[in-house]
């Protein structure tokens, strides 16, 4: 083991390649304080005593005494707010999911890795990491992670309808955490962890649930097995999680279920090149990504200039104001025309009356969603309702 100064970010690195460790110490010691080990257990012993000092943990996938994923899982328990990077030649989909779920890795770097690439990855990870940020009521990502550990989450589905004829056309998957929601709203929960690795773990868990439920979606919805899923900018910008999101889309398509992703406008930066690159890659693969809560920020129209989004979903408050506020009403009518000319879909949520639905129908909104059409309910309840209807019809 070798350790240098104390004034720079502290990076714990574990690898059985002593030459790589020596090169890292020699080349990057001017930028970071490295604590390096070739023995995973010895590194964990150091971390147990110094978790408050570490800024980043890096581990090789293959080590003689402890594999990288197992090491990072233990590191996550010891120092949950410290970001983690996995070094690997190849990562199977099973190992990748395990790393995201249990080790909550920030990113994967392919070996052999150059010193310059490693330096850039370290700098970016340390600059963007979020050490358990707190919001009102002291809700933290660690509380969300505890709910995931306890299995205290499930999905509900809210129906979506075509505006043209008010016919059913799909559903949106929403996450629920019953215990945490006793104290916090679901929006607060996602806000607390949207820029933290735990959001990737939550995404992975929800993906696993939806893959298991895919045959039931197909039976229940038939040709209208169209499922909308919310995704975070953090997940889209995490390479390994982006791969998981793309593979999920393809797996669901093979099961006869079409997936559409939605990302909140508040998470999209005009100059966020990483996010734009991920969104462009999805578009190239034929994967639809919509801007959710459109109209809630100051850069709504500028986002459409990127031409990488398949459509928009209007902000709920904007939609509600359509019936009473002249400016909201005029904006929705105008943006519907813009989307039509650009070939973009335009959805509206928060529909709570027939009058509002009919007004938006006239404006050319393509899809509607809200309590007027149906509240979010578990898949089991939806199936029971269909069975009851079938039984009553003979």
């Amino acid at each position: 083991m070798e350790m240098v100064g104390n004034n720079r970010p502290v990076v714990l690195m574990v690898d059985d390649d002593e030459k790589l460790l020596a090169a890292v110490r020699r080349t990057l010691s001017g930028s970071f304080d490295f604590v390096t080990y070739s023995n995973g257990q010895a590194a964990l012993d150091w971390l147990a005593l110094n978790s408050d000092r570490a800024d980043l943990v890096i581990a090789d996938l293959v080590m003689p005494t402890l594999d990288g994923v197992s090491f990072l899982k233990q590191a996550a328990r010891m120092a949950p707010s410290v970001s983690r990077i996995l070094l690997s030649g190849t990562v199977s989909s099973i190992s990748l999911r395990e790393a995201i779920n249990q080790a909550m890795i920030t990113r994967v770097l392919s070996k052999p890795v150059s010193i310059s690439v490693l330096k850039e990855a370290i700098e970016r990870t340390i600059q963007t990491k979020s050490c358990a940020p707190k919001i009102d009521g002291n809700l933290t990502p660690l509380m969300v992670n505890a709910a995931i550990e306890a299995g205290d989450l499930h999905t509900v589905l809210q129906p979506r309808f075509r505006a043209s004829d008010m016919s059913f056309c799909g559903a949106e998957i929403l996450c629920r955490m019953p215990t945490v929601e006793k104290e916090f709203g679901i929006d607060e929960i996602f806000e607390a962890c949207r820029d933290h690795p735990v959001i990737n773990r939550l995404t992975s868990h929800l993906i696993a649930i939806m893959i298991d439920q895919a045959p039931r979606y197909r039976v229940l919805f038939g040709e209208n097995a169209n499922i909308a899923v919310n995704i975070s900018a953090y997940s889209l910008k995490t390479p390994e999680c982006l791969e998981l999101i793309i593979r999920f889309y393809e797996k669901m398509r093979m099961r006869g279920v079409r997936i559409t992703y939605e990302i909140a406008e508040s998470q999209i930066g005009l100059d966020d090149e990483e996010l734009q690159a991920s969104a462009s890659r999805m578009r190239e693969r034929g994967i639809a990504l919509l801007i959710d809560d459109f109209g809630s920020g100051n850069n709504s129209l500028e986002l459409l200039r990127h031409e990488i989004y398949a459509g928009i979903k209007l902000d709920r408050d904007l939609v509600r104001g359509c019936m009473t506020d002249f400016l909201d009403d005029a904006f929705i009518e105008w943006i519907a025309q813009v989307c039509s000319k650009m070939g973009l879909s335009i959805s509206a949520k928060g529909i709570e009356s027939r009058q509002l639905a009919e007004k938006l129908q006239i404006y050319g909104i393509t899809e509607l969603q809200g309590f007027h059409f149906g509240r979010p309910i578990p898949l089991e309840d939806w199936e029971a309702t269909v069975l009851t209807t079938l039984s009553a019809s003979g």
Side-chain angles (χ1 to χ4, degrees), residues 157 168 214-225 378-387:
L157 296 88
F168 173 79
R216 297 164 67 186
Y217 300 153
R218 181 63 182 171
V219 171
L220 186 61
F221 302 142
E223 293 300 319
N224 292 310
L379 178 59
E380 293 78 9
D381 292 354
W382 204 324
E383 290 170 326
T385 300
V386 171
L387 288 174

Side-chain angles (χ1 to χ4, degrees), residues 12 14 40 43-48 50-52 54-59 66-86 97-106 130-132 141-143 145-146 149 196-198 201:
L12 172 62
V14 189
L44 288 174
D45 292 341
W46 180 90
L47 185 61
N50 298 276
S51 60
D52 59 333
D55 295 287
L56 178 65
V57 176
I58 304 174
L66 190 66
D67 70 89
V69 173
S70 296
F71 170 84
L72 290 173
K73 283 160 56 177
Q74 294 185 54
R77 290 193 289 270
M78 289 182 181
S81 65
V82 178
S83 299
R84 289 164 288 281
I85 292 178
L86 177 66
R97 176 171 289 176
E98 182 181 10
I100 292 175
N101 279 350
Q102 300 180 37
M104 290 190 290
I105 57 173
T106 301
S130 177
C131 299
L142 301 185
M143 294 170 65
N145 187 56
E149 288 280 358
H196 188 278
V198 73
R201 187 179 188 198

Side-chain angles (χ1 to χ4, degrees), residues 47 88 103 147 199 218 222 262 275 301 315 343 346 362:
L47 185 61
S88 172
I199 196 66
R218 181 63 182 171
E262 299 176 358
L275 180 59
L301 299 179
D315 178 63
I346 176 168
I362 294 172

Side-chain angles (χ1 to χ4, degrees), residues 197-217:
V198 73
I199 196 66
N200 291 346
R201 187 179 188 198
L202 179 58
T203 298
S204 180
H205 270 260
L206 294 176
I207 282 176
I209 290 173
M210 286 183 278
I211 288 175
D212 288 342
Q213 293 181 343
R216 297 164 67 186
Y217 300 153

Side-chain angles (χ1 to χ4, degrees), residues 303-320:
L303 295 176
L304 298 183
R305 299 184 189 277
H306 293 307
E307 298 185 355
I308 53 180
Y309 300 101
I312 66 174
K313 179 179 278 189
L314 296 170
D315 178 63
R316 180 180 286 103
D317 291 336
L318 181 66
V319 171
R320 287 173 178 167

Side-chain angles (χ1 to χ4, degrees), residues 16 40 59 133 165 170 173 184 337 363 372 394:
D16 62 352
D165 58 4
I173 296 288
F184 306 98
Q337 295 174 3
Y363 287 168
H372 171 69

